[in-house]
Amino acid sequence: MSSYTVGILGGGQLGRMTVEAAHRLNIKVAILDSESAPAKQINLVAADKHVTGSFAKASDVKVLASRCDVLTYEIEHVDTKVLEELEEEQPFVEGTEWYRIQPSWKTVRTIQDKFVQKSHLAKFDIPTAKSIAVGTSHPQGLKDIADQIGFPLMLKSRTEAYDGRGNYPVKTVSDIEPALKALADRPLYAEKWAHFKMELAVMVVKTAQEASIDSWESSTLAYPTVETIHEDSICKLVYAPPRDVSKKVTEAAQQLARRAVSTFLGTGVFGVELFLLADDSLVVNEIAPRPHNSGHYTIEACGMSQYEAHIKAILPDQASRIPEGATDLSVGAAIMLNILGGPQPDSHLLVEDAARDVPGAHVHMYGKGDGRPGRKMGHITVTGFSMSECENKIHSLVQMVDAVRA
Ligand code: ATP
Ligand code: MG
Ligand code: MG
């Protein structure tokens, strides 16, 4: 491939799996995160380039930038001001005209504030749930908003949200005060409730730098549409392909996801979360400018994983060389099950242990140490000729995950 070093802001499980893909391609990866972050544990090749610190701290980001050719993310909650400065100083990878921050910090700045993200998508007629900024944390403000969009609504933090930490369902007027209390001191917006019949997701690879919705067909590739099951706002299961969804809908989801991603500057993979409504119409829930939980299954189930695609898409000499069909399913079906932390620090290890007895269960543990309830500790993917074969294989493990969480 090339001799470039990639720097990643963040070293959790997404960074760790990106490192696995990069190793196979002989690409060095430098990680900015705490000392024993998951992505650092398995990455000795570039150990001298890792930075101990935080992706939210300007001086740490500068050190990482000085040690790599291309900068990318595994999390969107990063300091974009310092990235803006770094781009002014040195926009391109040395010896090329390829932007070295991929995707662009402008993309991350838009996406990291969910309300700004939704306003951006609205400009391009990409459907989203109706959203209204909550200018004041005074209950009356939210009551007025509820008059406009109705109950139930989802009160959401505009920033720093993940795994539903930042969401509060407001079902009636009596939920308003507890909701504002739970999300106190965070910038908020209210979202109209989406009465979806299913949640879908599509991983999109953006291979062209420019942002242009008109060129979505040439600037993006789509992975298959998948079905995601969330519990308590945390992703639990991913089914590829979705169960009982028509080809018309899965293709419409891919097209909508590609059109949405084409509006953002820069390259890389993007995770697009969608709601499928009762009338088979689709709305975008949110977009992540990075590899995504709903794309873990691509490691075993597609010709090229989302992690390998991300590495290729951000490098100057590889982005346009992702072969036709590489993002297609290479198996009949796949199911991905998240292993979440339970009440005890080692509760999740029960699931890991049981998975060893399931033939063909691909177990990925993240090296996070102690579990906490709802913390993503690992995942399991099974593949097969059919969805029912996959369901039979993983059934007992799903039951065990449920028991651990109970
Ligand atoms: P992630 O870990 O995916 O980044 P997050 O904290 O950013 O999660 P969202 O994706 O906004 O949170 O919401 C999490 C889940 O909450 C969704 O997948 C969906 O199940 C539910 N949800 C979010 N918004 C709405 C809505 N407007 N109506 C109904 N359900 C919703
Ligand atoms: Mg999110
Ligand atoms: Mg989400």
Side-chain angles (χ1 to χ4, degrees):
M1 277 263 288
S2 64
S3 56
Y4 295 119
T5 298
V6 170
I8 308 185
L9 302 173
Q13 66 268 23
L14 299 169
R16 182 170 165 120
M17 289 181 268
T18 306
V19 166
E20 288 176 352
H23 276 170
R24 284 190 288 102
L25 302 169
N26 250 346
I27 299 287
K28 280 194 178 144
V29 180
I31 302 289
L32 164 55
D33 210 327
S34 58
E35 194 73 60
S36 57
K40 288 183 182 176
Q41 294 168 17
I42 61 158
N43 185 6
L44 298 177
V45 187
D48 55 329
K49 291 177 181 260
H50 294 328
V51 183
T52 304
S54 168
F55 43 79
K57 192 169 160 205
S59 53
D60 295 340
V61 175
K62 281 186 183 166
V63 177
L64 182 73
S66 71
R67 295 181 186 176
C68 62
D69 303 292
V70 179
L71 269 179
T72 191
Y73 325 79
E74 65 127 40
I75 183 164
E76 54 274 26
H77 310 306
V78 302
D79 178 345
T80 58
K81 266 206 269 0
V82 65
L83 295 175
E84 183 175 5
E85 275 171 42
L86 284 166
E87 185 164 289
E88 264 164 34
E89 280 165 27
Q90 190 196 334
F92 303 125
V93 174
E94 216 174 295
T96 74
E97 288 185 10
W98 184 260
Y99 280 90
R100 78 178 180 129
I101 300 174
Q102 295 291 4
S104 166
W105 59 268
K106 291 179 188 163
T107 292
V108 175
R109 187 173 290 172
T110 301
I111 283 178
Q112 69 184 188
D113 181 325
K114 285 179 167 184
F115 183 70
V116 174
Q117 180 191 140
K118 295 224 157 64
S119 311
H120 168 89
L121 293 172
K123 275 192 274 177
F124 298 95
D125 294 326
I126 304 287
T128 59
K130 188 174 170 56
S131 300
I132 299 180
V134 179
T136 161
S137 55
H138 193 271
Q140 187 56 43
L142 200 49
K143 274 192 199 112
D144 292 343
I145 289 173
D147 284 343
Q148 288 181 59
I149 59 177
F151 289 113
L153 59 81
M154 188 71 98
L155 187 64
K156 291 192 176 186
S157 174
R158 292 171 60 148
T159 58
E160 306 283 334
Y162 69 99
D163 290 346
R165 293 163 209 229
N167 285 1
Y168 198 109
V170 178
K171 292 178 182 142
T172 65
V173 110
S174 62
D175 292 329
I176 288 183
E177 279 197 44
L180 291 173
K181 208 163 154 202
L183 298 174
D185 304 325
R186 301 180 74 167
L188 302 176
Y189 77 104
E191 217 175 270
K192 191 175 163 63
W193 198 264
H195 294 280
F196 53 79
K197 61 178 177 185
M198 191 181 271
E199 292 192 74
L200 301 174
V202 181
M203 293 306 306
V204 173
V205 193
K206 184 154 181 285
T207 54
Q209 177 70 22
E210 77 275 4
S212 161
I213 195 163
D214 295 332
S215 47
W216 67 270
E217 279 176 286
S218 57
S219 66
T220 63
L221 301 163
Y223 277 96
T225 299
V226 299
E227 170 187 354
T228 61
I229 306 278
H230 291 74
E231 262 175 25
D232 302 329
S233 284
I234 305 177
C235 177
K236 176 186 179 188
L237 282 157
V238 172
Y239 293 84
R243 295 166 300 171
D244 301 323
V245 173
S246 69
K247 197 164 175 237
K248 196 171 156 212
V249 168
T250 58
E251 286 179 356
Q254 286 177 306
Q255 186 181 131
L256 177 60
R258 289 174 71 186
R259 289 179 63 245
V261 167
S262 71
T263 67
F264 293 105
L265 205 57
T267 64
V269 302
F270 290 70
V272 183
E273 300 176 10
L274 303 149
F275 297 139
L276 176 62
L277 306 182
D279 64 355
D280 273 353
S281 63
L282 292 156
V283 299
V284 172
N285 171 28
E286 62 165 349
I287 298 182
R290 53 168 170 79
H292 191 261
N293 193 172
S294 69
H296 292 343
Y297 79 96
T298 61
I299 297 174
E300 286 89 9
C302 295
M304 182 187 292
S305 77
Q306 64 164 345
Y307 303 101
E308 181 172 340
H310 186 66
I311 290 284
K312 289 188 169 156
I314 62 172
L315 290 177
D317 44 8
Q318 299 295 325
S320 59
R321 300 183 53 196
I322 297 176
E324 183 84 20
T327 54
D328 294 345
L329 272 185
S330 54
V331 294
I335 300 177
M336 190 280 316
L337 171 68
N338 271 337
I339 301 177
L340 301 177
Q344 307 301 326
D346 61 352
S347 301
H348 59 281
L349 297 180
L350 281 173
V351 184
E352 183 197 353
D353 191 59
R356 291 199 197 123
D357 299 327
V358 176
H362 301 277
V363 183
H364 298 252
M365 297 308 293
Y366 305 151
K368 285 186 173 174
D370 286 350
R372 285 193 304 271
R375 188 177 193 207
K376 288 173 180 162
M377 304 305 290
H379 77 265
I380 298 164
T381 301
V382 296
T383 62
F385 291 108
S386 66
M387 188 54 84
S388 55
E389 183 191 339
C390 294
E391 282 175 321
N392 287 337
K393 278 186 189 167
I394 209 155
H395 177 70
S396 61
L397 298 176
V398 177
Q399 281 186 322
M400 192 164 280
V401 162
D402 289 342
V404 164
R405 289 197 75 200

